[in-house]
Amino acid sequence: MTGGRVAGKTAIVTGASGDLGRATARMLAEHGAKVVNLDRTAAEGGWNGLPVKDRIVDVTSEESLGQAVVEVVDEYGAPDILVNAAGIIGRPAPSHEATVEEFDAIFGVNVKGVWLTTRAVVPHMIAAGRGSIVNFSSIHGLTGGKTVPLYHATKGAVRLLTKADAAAYGEYGIRVNSVHPGSMQSRMSRTAAENSEVGPEAYYSQLVGGNPLPRQGRPDEIAYAVLYLASDESGFTTGSELVVDGGYTAI
């Protein structure tokens, strides 16, 4: 069903080839936004007539991002919404076993990519006097863990970059918030489970078995959270952390 919660708005979404990014792009389009996805690969499955376009962009490249954002502005005007959903989890390894190459790769996508995309979009939002930026952090940006420390570090960085940008850009009518998914039904989660030392079944049991809601979340449940933060319904919300984790961080 098509709604109007973001009707007439233009949205840029990074990472739409992933399950959560794709669900978010679809949700925004279904609720009236014109959506442009920026990712290294096109999202699978197509868009069934929804106003969504895929552009092949490297979010770690200043040149690639800058050109893509200028093209979006030329075609649609200043973006009203930016969703920084692109992210990678990396190989499970404690800090002393991780490599410099792995560090550079995961920080390049998860932190530099968020910063570069925001950097490219914000001047246009400032000129328009409006905007909503939603950054994908994680419950791993709120809690520690021994399995993927570099991933935790990147998501913690995104969490605080969100707050700093919220403080910096509020006077221009720009809101900046973060979403913090828990264990989701996603390719990233499946990869983490398959690479875990204990195996997928035990991995999921440990991760969600003790939750107040003892299951994994669905991609659309994250997309609805983003929709709220992207819409005018959250007009007095900035610098916040919207946790969607089945209660994992509550216990």
Side-chain angles (χ1 to χ4, degrees):
M1 180 179 67
T2 300
R5 294 173 66 185
V6 287
K9 296 182 183 293
T10 297
I12 291 176
V13 178
T14 71
S17 65
D19 296 284
L20 304 188
R22 183 168 63 252
T24 296
R26 181 175 295 279
M27 182 72 70
L28 293 173
E30 287 175 345
H31 283 267
K34 298 183 292 291
V35 181
V36 181
N37 299 321
L38 308 182
D39 207 337
R40 290 179 177 175
T41 58
E44 298 175 2
W47 300 106
N48 297 324
L50 291 171
V52 181
K53 292 185 178 181
D54 291 317
R55 291 180 182 266
I56 306 304
V57 175
D58 180 359
V59 298
T60 69
S61 166
E62 179 182 10
E63 180 180 0
S64 180
L65 273 173
Q67 179 178 346
V69 170
V70 167
E71 290 173 357
V72 172
V73 172
D74 287 345
E75 185 170 356
Y76 297 118
D80 303 281
I81 300 162
L82 168 62
V83 181
N84 284 307
I88 58 176
I89 194 166
R91 177 179 66 96
S95 289
H96 73 285
E97 293 180 2
T99 67
V100 171
E101 290 76 16
E102 288 172 328
F103 180 98
D104 289 343
I106 192 168
F107 270 82
V109 175
N110 294 6
V111 182
K112 184 182 178 183
V114 172
W115 170 67
L116 279 177
T117 310
T118 299
R119 182 170 174 258
V121 169
V122 158
H124 302 287
M125 288 183 168
I126 289 175
R130 66 180 188 278
S132 175
I133 299 173
V134 184
N135 295 327
F136 272 49
S137 180
S138 167
I139 56 170
H140 293 320
L142 301 169
T143 65
K146 65 182 181 180
T147 306
V148 282
L150 296 183
Y151 183 73
H152 285 263
T154 62
K155 293 306 182 179
V158 169
R159 171 177 173 263
L160 287 183
L161 180 62
T162 298
K163 293 184 181 299
D165 284 350
Y169 300 130
E171 65 182 290
Y172 302 106
I174 301 169
R175 299 181 297 105
V176 191
N177 296 285
S178 56
V179 291
H180 297 256
S183 181
M184 306 302 298
Q185 297 171 3
S186 67
R187 182 171 58 213
M188 182 180 289
S189 177
R190 291 190 293 273
T191 299
E194 291 166 0
N195 291 336
S196 69
E197 293 180 355
V198 298
E201 185 175 347
Y203 174 86
Y204 288 128
S205 178
Q206 292 174 5
L207 195 60
V208 304
N211 280 10
L213 301 177
R215 65 172 176 85
Q216 286 190 296
R218 302 186 310 271
D220 69 291
E221 292 174 313
I222 296 299
Y224 275 116
V226 176
L227 176 63
Y228 166 70
L229 292 173
S231 75
D232 295 339
E233 297 163 11
S234 58
F236 199 53
T237 302
T238 195
S240 72
E241 303 163 2
L242 183 47
V243 180
V244 187
D245 69 347
Y248 178 87
T249 55
I251 58 176

